[in-house]
Amino acid sequence: MAESICRALRDGALEGEHAPALTIKDSIDAPLGFDVFAHVLAQLSSHILAGKSQSRGLVLVAFTRSPSFYVDLLKERGLEVNSSRKWIQILDCYSDPHGWKDRIMGQGKVDDATKEASGVSRLCKDVKDMDKLCSLAIELGKGLLGEGKGRFSFALDSVNEMLRYASVHSVARVLSDLRSHDLASCVFWLLHSDLLEDKVAAVFDYMSSMVASLESAIRASNGLRISLENLSLTEQNFRRAKFSIRFKRRNGRVRLMSEEVSIERSGITFSSVSTDGGTMGGSLLPKVQFNLQLSEKEQMDRAKVVLPFEHQGNGEPIEIYDGRRSLADKNNEAAGTMQMKDSSKVCLHCWCCYRITDVASNYSNGGIS
Amino acid sequence: MDNLLDRALGLDGRGDRWPLLGKVVLVEDCVETGGAFVVHHIIKRFLSPQPAAASNHSLILVAFSQPLSHYDRVLRKLGCNLVAQRDHDRFLFFDMLNLRFPGEEFRDDVKTGSSVLVSLFEKIYNAVRALSAEKNCITIVIDDIALMEVVANGSSDSVLDFLHYCRTLTSEFDCSVVALNHGDIYSTTEKPMLMLNLEYLSNILVRAEPLATGSAVDVHGQLMVFNKGEHDGQGTPGSKVHNFHFRVKENSVDFFYPGGRG
């Protein structure tokens, strides 16, 4: 499924359509957004270098990491930024976004980049001017094409930082302009949804043809922030997350897909969501050979069983069986006692009506008849 | 001798290189459980006697809440002489209470608002450049962010801009940044934006909280240390969470696992 995203970005814009746009969303509960962003960046870069994508170059607008960081990141994945063909340009909005260092250094050069990174990066010293930022990005993209034809892609590593510097309208306009540019092949960006109001996040969802959301694999009780109650969950959530993608088709249909993303020693991996209830979200039953749950019929039969010593409450006076004599016997005893009061004879067979005085009188009369 | 906090922060290694280089450490506390002792501990570990190869450590303390005499008194009890370190140019104290820095004061026109933070960064940047030219290992300590926001007239954007610039120093000069913030100040807000932004920004989060069972004589609170990017036992990248209790004594702090105190 993550491959679907990368393929869509690789294939780029259709004739007469805007470039495909991907939003990658995460939160403090599932903070793997940058890992996914880096993965998509590396995949697209790989396709560009191999000549397999519509895009011939990539403009990376960096707010949260230095150009050197991205150069090292791509190098680790075997992607050389300073190859013979210029294929990437980094618009550096990280090192000096407001020009503070520029004012301190005076005419001196602000140099936060290694020699390698300085060859592919350009400093932006006024990130509040979104129009200028947009123009710079497009200019860098055109520089990648040179005299040749083709298209280029855009990647922005933090929409949240842009929103700190400018209004929602300004940021939305920038993304819309990038997406609708004639030479744009694809655009993708990262945002942290818990730093935005829902309506603001919705703005960027509407602008995207693909929305990839990261949610915690196991929900913690304390929604937004790390807490002592969910330490082990927090630790797991930094290695695994549920990865959901919403594809918006041209005809308006929406396709939803879901995967599990995890950070392994070898890097980021995507796998199908397990369906046995053992790992993702709902049931936490262990994987055993026997069934621990009751079927529907078994549950109905269990409900019909009348338990001993249970008060049924059916409207009649409640009679509790004490295990010694039945109620019928009690009734008979009461009837027998009534008759004995009227008779002078003794019945020795029924001790319930035995009376000493009567027996004594019988013996004095010479025995029982 | 290493303790649980050292192990959680990665300070228990035997190498010469300061393990927190290039990292941002955020210490969060609350009224019931102060976290200033964590900052003092890190200062002491950074400036404490080390192998000769590590004698080039320099610390910049940006103090919004206490005068130098306070830190000097506290660190002396921990075995660290800040005045002596200052005399050897290994300790720079930026007095934000009186807006005074080593050798100079703020201009009158930049004593309020966000311009204070711009000027502050200018002084920090110049100090870091000078120290870095002598191949020094530098740590910047900020005490504390809540008061910094007050100095910036409540502008959290100015605070975040300042911290962003401090963070660029971690990549440009391989500095480490340690900042203290009070979490309960923002507890009434539905989405504590500044707190969340700081958590996204930090590489290591240390949170001091009271015990769930309330206050105790032998246990003063618990620490949660969340070390992003720390590998687990199998070398898998991710994050490690450490949780243990502490007791603040006159000249030291004891750290122990729950139930581990004899």
Side-chain angles (χ1 to χ4, degrees), chain A residues 94 96 101 196 226 265, chain B residues 164-165 172 191 207 234:
Chain A
Y94 167 85
D96 194 12
K101 291 181 186 175
L196 303 174
I226 304 162
R265 208 185 305 181
Chain B
H164 173 87
Y165 269 92
E172 190 175 348
K191 277 191 180 182
R207 187 177 291 152
Q234 286 80 38

Side-chain angles (χ1 to χ4, degrees), chain B residues 9-222:
Chain B
L9 294 173
L11 302 181
D12 57 339
R14 296 290 170 255
D16 295 335
R17 184 180 155 88
W18 176 242
L20 299 181
L21 282 180
K23 293 190 179 177
V24 176
V25 180
L26 176 66
V27 181
E28 279 181 18
D29 68 357
C30 55
V31 168
E32 294 156 71
T33 312
F37 70 92
V38 177
V39 176
H40 301 150
H41 178 82
I42 294 175
I43 292 175
K44 183 229 168 179
R45 279 301 306 256
F46 187 71
L47 293 176
S48 64
Q50 291 173 27
S55 61
N56 60 343
H57 285 197
S58 297
L59 186 132
I60 299 173
L61 175 54
V62 184
F64 290 87
S65 67
Q66 304 286 356
L68 175 59
S69 53
H70 166 83
Y71 296 101
D72 188 40
R73 197 174 302 122
V74 169
L75 269 295
R76 269 183 201 271
K77 288 186 177 175
L78 297 178
C80 181
N81 188 334
L82 285 183
V83 173
Q85 300 283 1
R86 187 182 59 176
D87 294 341
H88 287 93
D89 294 329
R90 289 186 59 202
F91 173 66
L92 300 176
F93 185 74
F94 285 10
D95 183 354
M96 295 306 293
L97 285 172
N98 299 308
L99 293 177
R100 203 172 287 145
F101 308 100
E104 56 179 307
E105 290 191 25
F106 264 120
R107 299 199 317 266
D108 285 337
D109 60 332
V110 292
K111 283 190 176 179
T112 57
S114 57
S115 56
V116 174
L117 298 185
V118 177
S119 294
L120 173 62
F121 178 76
E122 179 181 343
K123 295 178 191 335
I124 292 174
Y125 189 58
N126 287 333
V128 167
R129 282 175 59 229
L131 291 167
S132 179
E134 297 168 18
K135 309 280 187 226
N136 277 355
C137 171
I138 305 159
T139 291
I140 302 166
V141 175
I142 299 168
D143 181 13
D144 58 64
I145 293 174
L147 284 172
M148 186 196 301
E149 199 180 359
V150 170
V151 166
N153 287 343
S155 169
S156 56
D157 273 338
S158 299
V159 171
L160 287 171
D161 287 341
F162 173 82
L163 291 171
H164 173 87
Y165 269 92
C166 287
R167 189 180 168 216
T168 64
L169 300 181
T170 64
S171 50
E172 190 175 348
F173 297 102
D174 230 8
C175 297
S176 47
V177 175
V178 180
L180 174 66
N181 196 17
H182 308 306
D184 46 3
I185 289 175
Y186 309 95
S187 59
T188 54
T189 52
E190 191 184 320
K191 277 191 180 182
M193 291 300 178
L194 180 60
M195 295 297 297
L196 280 174
N197 270 294
L198 293 175
E199 286 184 14
Y200 275 114
L201 197 85
S202 62
N203 301 105
I204 300 175
L205 172 64
V206 182
R207 187 177 291 152
E209 287 193 10
L211 296 178
T213 49
S215 58
V217 172
D218 290 344
V219 184
H220 295 164
Q222 52 185 336

Side-chain angles (χ1 to χ4, degrees), chain A residues 75-247:
Chain A
K75 234 178 161 180
E76 279 170 20
R77 288 159 169 78
L79 302 165
E80 198 55 51
V81 299
N82 283 313
S83 60
S84 53
R85 178 172 82 86
K86 213 165 65 164
W87 64 274
I88 184 169
Q89 283 286 293
I90 302 174
L91 184 54
D92 182 5
C93 300
Y94 167 85
S95 302
D96 194 12
H98 304 295
W100 291 8
K101 291 181 186 175
D102 187 56
R103 284 200 289 276
I104 295 168
M105 301 291 284
Q107 296 299 317
K109 189 170 172 292
V110 173
D111 185 11
D112 187 14
T114 57
K115 193 176 170 188
E116 236 177 334
S118 57
V120 294
S121 64
R122 182 156 162 190
L123 195 60
C124 176
K125 289 178 281 191
D126 186 12
V127 293
K128 288 182 181 173
D129 188 344
M130 284 288 141
D131 291 335
K132 190 173 173 192
L133 187 142
C134 185
S135 306
L136 271 174
I138 293 172
E139 185 187 322
L140 287 174
K142 288 178 179 173
L144 288 172
L145 297 179
E147 298 297 323
K149 288 184 180 178
R151 293 179 182 242
F152 48 87
S153 304
F154 297 100
L156 300 96
D157 71 356
S158 178
V159 167
N160 299 92
E161 286 295 301
M162 295 173 75
L163 288 167
R164 281 211 310 111
Y165 305 136
S167 67
V168 176
H169 305 291
S170 303
V171 174
R173 192 173 65 239
V174 166
L175 297 180
S176 181
D177 287 350
L178 291 179
R179 196 188 164 200
S180 60
H181 197 274
D182 293 337
L183 301 179
S185 174
C186 65
V187 189
F188 61 101
W189 56 78
L190 170 65
L191 64 86
H192 305 306
S193 57
D194 50 355
L195 293 179
L196 303 174
E197 291 177 28
D198 292 341
K199 60 181 181 181
V200 173
V203 167
F204 299 105
D205 284 358
Y206 275 115
M207 294 176 65
S208 312
S209 53
M210 297 175 282
V211 179
S213 307
L214 286 145
E215 294 163 17
S216 58
I218 302 170
R219 288 232 172 256
S221 57
N222 183 0
L224 282 178
R225 299 179 58 225
I226 304 162
S227 71
L228 280 159
E229 287 80 31
N230 55 10
L231 284 175
S232 61
L233 299 178
T234 307
E235 202 171 299
Q236 283 191 59
N237 284 338
F238 259 79
R239 293 204 178 95
R240 290 166 49 213
K242 184 180 168 192
F243 187 53
S244 308
I245 301 185
R246 194 176 74 239
F247 289 92

Side-chain angles (χ1 to χ4, degrees), chain B residues 3-12 204 225 227 230 242 244:
Chain B
N3 51 43
L4 289 177
L5 179 59
D6 290 333
R7 258 179 256 160
L9 294 173
L11 302 181
D12 57 339
I204 300 175
V225 180
N227 198 335
E230 181 180 352
H242 306 262
F244 43 88

